[in-house]
Amino acid sequence: MLTPFTRLLSCSITSSLQPGVWLVGLAGVNTPEPPWSLTTFMDGIRLEEGTLLYFGYLCMIIGLCLFMGLFGFTQSVYSRDLTYRHWAFYLWSNFMLFLTALDFSFKLGLFGYDYRPWSSVVQFLVQFSYLLFISSFLELKLHYLTLYQSVRRLQWVILAGAFVTSVAVSMRGSLLMRKVVDGCDVFMFFTDLLILLLFVRIVKAGIPQTRLLIIGSLGALLMAVLAALVDQLNIRQVGLYPVDPLIIFSVGVLFELTFFSLALSQRTRLIQIENQRLQRDYTRQLEQDLAVRVATIHEQGRLIEEEQIQRLTNDFNQKIAETEMAALRSQMNPHFIFNCLNSIQFFTARNDTANASDYLAKFSRLIRLVLENSRSEHVTLANELETLQLYIDMEAMRFQQKVNSQIIIDDNIDTESIQIPPLLLQPFVENAIWHGLMHKSEGGMVTVHVTQPLPSRLQVEITDNGVGRAKAAEFKSKSATKNKSMGMKVTAERIALINQLYQTQTNVKIIDLTNAVGHPTGTKVFVDIPV
């Protein structure tokens, strides 16, 4: 920690053991070469009980700093936390400080003859490691960049002092070494003062987790001041109890190390709490995300299930519509064939073999087309018009050429590429012949006009010049009634199913034609087919 008096205190250790030696050291007078080494000291010297306790006390502090430093270094390797590594560096610096004090107090010869140069280097090391630990512990680089830069500059100053002192130590016994070592007292006091001012700035900054560091540092500072006062006033005993400046200083160091250890423990605990909080938050977030995903999956599953149900329903409805279409086509075909057989029966009854043979040839061709078309949902317009022309020809033969017909196709229409439902137009032509032309003695004309006003729409106009719908209703022909109840009804149902199945709009519009005075002149049927 802050050690403005450690240089003076290190020299004052010997005052209780060898009075006057530390003064000689400060004056720069050469002292005799130590007559023994650590081995001879441990083997042959006889220590008094108090001196032995003093020796054991210093060894205890040295061992404590050494092994706590090893623990801190191990912790840094395990946790990958540089703060523990810097803490170990600070503990080992204190280890070296007390080791030099032990060497000087008992003349162990661990650092050679001259103790003072090594003591100065170690004190610089303590200052540097203290700043390194404080900066890392408070995370100044991350949160307080200005303070961190100040600490870094002060560390460079301390390193410069340590480097100069180390160079001087290499010149053993030279006058330059003595002057440099003597000048270290003033330089170290200056750096201690800068550390104290920097510490005040850290306190004023209100940085979190500094309370235990403040207590430990202030305790060490107060004990160091007390030790210096005891040494300066040459107080060696209070009542019956002996007083030693190094003991007082070491108590301050132990106090500081204790509170620094507590601060590290508190920091570790806060990190664990923060990690646990982050883990809880992360777990909670995962649970929320999982709940959202589960809800999303359930919703998607529900939508997919509804979509599948809707698709199956649509497929089922389409199958039903297709089945109904097939059923209606199967109803249409027998109805049409029944009418053709009636015509053949008519020719046979009249013994008209020529017309019967011609009619049978047309009928066989027509029946082949009808059977082929009944298997398909759509046929080409050319196929439908061919079937329609054969039907009209057969009806004209039946009614002894009283039925004339005309099929007009616009030039822009490609009859081979356009497809429409099979036998869609035949019932309207049949209705025109049976309801309109059959009741006229002279017969009439059926005109089929095919146009394509739009690429997606096909229009067919079926016009007859028969008696009209109102007059046909008056005759109440048995065959007409039967035909109407079959062909037109089936066609209407087919058109409704086509619109439902293919989502189209096939429209049929019937117009009664009249002359200038209002007499009926026929019927026109508009069939609008999407293509």
Side-chain angles (χ1 to χ4, degrees):
M1 214 303 276
L2 300 176
T3 57
F5 307 100
T6 53
R7 174 70 179 85
L8 182 61
L9 291 172
S10 299
C11 296
S12 68
I13 295 172
T14 58
S15 61
S16 60
L17 302 176
Q18 297 176 357
V21 174
W22 68 278
L23 293 176
V24 175
L26 284 176
V29 179
N30 292 330
T31 56
E33 190 74 20
W36 57 79
S37 63
L38 177 61
T39 304
T40 57
F41 170 79
M42 297 301 294
D43 292 339
I45 191 170
R46 293 185 178 181
L47 299 178
E48 298 179 0
E49 182 179 356
T51 305
L52 184 60
L53 290 176
Y54 185 79
F55 180 83
Y57 174 74
L58 290 179
C59 290
M60 180 196 71
I61 296 177
I62 292 171
L64 181 66
C65 293
L66 175 62
F67 288 105
M68 285 181 65
L70 289 173
F71 175 79
F73 182 79
T74 304
Q75 186 70 13
S76 71
V77 174
Y78 174 76
S79 63
R80 297 182 180 178
D81 190 348
L82 285 178
T83 302
Y84 280 99
R85 191 168 301 177
H86 298 156
W87 168 241
F89 184 26
Y90 181 57
L91 287 168
W92 288 335
S93 300
N94 282 277
F95 160 76
M96 293 297 298
L97 177 65
F98 284 100
L99 187 61
T100 55
L102 179 67
D103 179 55
F104 182 71
S105 298
F106 292 95
K107 299 298 181 180
L108 303 179
L110 299 175
F111 296 91
Y113 160 66
D114 199 348
Y115 150 82
R116 290 183 59 202
W118 290 110
S119 176
S120 300
V121 173
V122 170
Q123 289 179 64
F124 280 124
L125 191 63
V126 171
Q127 290 178 334
F128 180 82
S129 61
Y130 173 80
L131 291 176
L132 196 64
F133 169 70
I134 291 297
S135 175
S136 177
F137 182 89
L138 299 179
E139 297 180 343
L140 298 181
K141 185 177 182 179
L142 293 177
H143 307 295
Y144 306 92
L145 187 58
T146 303
L147 280 174
Y148 174 75
Q149 292 173 349
S150 299
V151 170
R152 293 292 293 175
R153 285 192 289 267
L154 185 53
Q155 285 178 321
W156 281 110
V157 171
I158 294 172
L159 284 177
F163 175 75
V164 172
T165 305
S166 299
V167 173
V169 169
S170 65
M171 304 177 183
R172 290 181 174 272
S174 65
L175 181 61
L176 178 61
M177 183 195 74
R178 296 191 187 94
K179 290 183 178 181
V180 171
V181 173
D182 291 339
C184 284
D185 292 335
V186 178
F187 184 79
M188 197 171 299
F189 179 79
F190 173 72
T191 55
D192 283 339
L193 183 61
L194 291 178
I195 292 175
L196 179 60
L197 294 176
L198 182 62
F199 189 76
V200 173
R201 286 184 59 189
I202 292 175
V203 173
K204 288 184 177 180
I207 302 175
Q209 301 181 23
T210 57
R211 185 178 62 177
L212 293 176
L213 295 182
I214 293 172
I215 295 175
S217 298
L218 289 179
L221 176 62
L222 291 176
M223 297 303 289
V225 172
L226 179 60
L229 290 177
V230 167
D231 185 65
Q232 290 295 320
L233 298 176
N234 199 22
I235 300 174
R236 296 294 175 261
Q237 189 168 349
V238 177
L240 300 177
Y241 301 99
V243 177
D244 187 274
L246 182 59
I247 298 295
I248 297 174
F249 174 73
S250 65
V251 170
V253 172
L254 291 176
F255 182 84
E256 179 188 59
L257 296 180
T258 300
F259 275 86
F260 278 15
S261 298
L262 291 175
L264 275 172
S265 300
Q266 183 186 52
R267 177 178 177 274
T268 302
R269 178 58 180 165
L270 291 177
I271 291 175
Q272 290 178 348
I273 293 174
E274 180 66 16
N275 289 337
Q276 291 174 359
R277 185 189 65 81
L278 292 176
Q279 184 65 33
R280 287 195 300 270
D281 293 344
Y282 181 69
T283 303
R284 189 181 301 110
Q285 185 64 37
L286 285 180
E287 291 175 351
Q288 293 175 356
D289 293 343
L290 180 61
V292 171
R293 287 196 173 190
V294 170
T296 303
I297 292 173
H298 286 168
E299 180 65 18
Q300 291 176 348
R302 185 183 64 81
L303 294 177
I304 292 174
E305 184 177 357
E306 291 180 355
E307 183 179 352
Q308 290 178 345
I309 293 175
Q310 184 65 33
R311 185 170 61 252
L312 291 175
T313 302
N314 294 337
D315 292 344
F316 180 72
N317 292 335
Q318 184 174 359
K319 291 296 183 182
I320 292 177
E322 291 174 354
T323 303
E324 292 179 357
M325 286 283 293
L328 290 175
R329 286 199 302 270
S330 66
Q331 293 180 28
M332 176 72 68
N333 299 335
H335 167 69
F336 180 70
I337 294 172
F338 175 75
N339 291 335
C340 292
L341 291 176
N342 284 338
S343 298
I344 295 173
Q345 184 181 12
F346 174 77
F347 285 115
T348 304
R350 293 181 57 186
N351 200 23
D352 189 351
T353 57
N355 285 331
S357 177
D358 189 19
Y359 195 90
L360 281 173
K362 291 181 181 293
F363 175 73
S364 64
R365 183 180 176 189
L366 178 62
I367 201 67
R368 178 179 59 82
L369 289 175
V370 170
L371 290 175
E372 289 177 356
N373 294 345
S374 64
R375 298 189 182 97
S376 304
E377 296 180 2
H378 291 84
V379 296
T380 62
L381 178 61
N383 191 312
E384 177 71 6
L385 294 178
E386 181 184 2
T387 305
L388 186 62
Q389 185 64 59
L390 284 173
Y391 169 75
I392 295 175
D393 292 343
M394 293 177 66
E395 293 289 45
M397 290 178 63
R398 179 181 178 188
F399 290 111
Q400 299 179 355
Q401 305 302 324
K402 291 173 61 177
V403 177
N404 298 315
S405 65
Q406 184 180 16
I407 297 179
I408 304 172
I409 305 172
D410 284 0
D411 296 335
N412 64 332
I413 297 177
D414 185 4
T415 59
E416 295 294 339
S417 62
I418 296 176
Q419 293 190 343
I420 63 174
L423 294 177
L424 182 63
L425 304 177
Q426 184 270 338
F428 298 106
V429 174
E430 178 185 351
N431 196 58
I433 295 173
W434 284 62
H435 288 264
L437 304 183
M438 190 181 68
H439 300 295
K440 292 180 66 174
S441 58
E442 70 277 16
M445 171 72 72
V446 176
T447 302
V448 179
H449 187 195
V450 183
T451 62
Q452 191 175 9
L454 296 173
S456 60
R457 309 297 297 186
L458 184 71
Q459 288 186 352
V460 181
E461 295 181 8
I462 302 172
T463 307
D464 70 83
N465 58 352
V467 297
R469 290 189 299 172
K471 189 67 175 177
E474 295 177 1
F475 288 104
K476 297 185 180 299
S477 171
K478 182 177 181 180
S479 60
T481 302
K482 187 179 299 183
N483 290 341
K484 181 179 180 181
S485 63
M486 292 288 294
M488 291 299 294
K489 179 180 179 181
V490 169
T491 301
E493 292 177 358
R494 286 186 66 205
I495 291 175
L497 281 175
I498 288 171
N499 292 336
Q500 174 186 345
L501 185 60
Y502 301 106
Q503 299 297 315
T504 58
Q505 195 64 34
T506 301
N507 299 316
V508 177
K509 184 178 181 182
I510 301 176
I511 300 175
D512 294 319
L513 302 178
T514 58
N515 57 17
V517 296
H519 292 159
T521 59
T523 307
K524 179 180 288 188
V525 179
F526 286 96
V527 183
D528 186 54
I529 308 170
V531 295

